[in-house]
Amino acid sequence: MTTMTRHQQKDIKLIGKFVEVYCTGTHGRVEREAVILPETLGSRTLCPECAAFLTYAVTRRLKCPLEGEKPTCKHCRTHCYAKQQLAKVKEIMAYSGRTLIMRGRLDYLWHYFF
Ligand SMILES: [Zn+2]
C-alpha cells in the first residue's frame, strides 16, 4: 500500500538515479552513505552534500501543491525549488543526462523528458 501517487514515485525514483550518477561522476572518492527513499523506492548511495540535496528534492516533490494537475514535475520545478537548489538540479540534470546518453541509458531520459 502506498501513499504516494504514481507520478510522485516516478519522479522520486528518477531524481534519485540522476543525483547518484552525478555524485559518482563528479565528487570522486568520498565517504558515502545510503539515503533511504520513501516506501518501496529503495536507496541511493551519496556523499553528504548530495544526500542533503536529494532529501530536499524528495520533500519538495511530496509537498507539491499541483499534484494531479500536471503530468510530471518537469514543468514546474522552476517554481518549486529555491534558487540555490534550482541551480544545483540543473547542473545535476545536465551532467547525468550526458552521462546516461553516453552509457546508452536512454530509457531514463525518455521517462524524464516525455
Ligand atoms: Zn556527491
Side-chain angles (χ1 to χ4, degrees), residues 46-89:
L46 302 169
C47 76
E49 187 193 329
C50 293
F53 175 78
L54 181 58
T55 304
Y56 172 83
V58 168
T59 309
R60 296 304 302 176
R61 186 63 188 88
L62 292 176
K63 281 186 184 160
C64 179
L66 300 176
E67 185 59 39
E69 289 178 28
K70 61 195 171 62
T72 77
C73 237
K74 68 190 172 195
H75 299 302
C76 76
R77 203 167 260 129
T78 39
H79 310 295
C80 187
Y81 281 44
K83 222 170 186 174
Q84 204 190 342
Q85 276 83 4
L86 183 63
K88 179 115 183 137
V89 78

Side-chain angles (χ1 to χ4, degrees), residues 5 11 22-23 28-29 42 48 58 60 68 74 83 88 101 107:
T5 66
D11 282 349
Y22 172 83
C23 187
R29 296 173 65 86
V58 168
R60 296 304 302 176
K74 68 190 172 195
K83 222 170 186 174
K88 179 115 183 137
I101 284 173
D107 49 331

Side-chain angles (χ1 to χ4, degrees), residues 19-29 32 45-46 95 103:
V19 174
E20 192 176 63
V21 168
Y22 172 83
C23 187
T24 308
T26 61
H27 291 155
R29 296 173 65 86
R32 287 188 173 82
T45 308
L46 302 169
Y95 177 87
R103 288 188 198 162

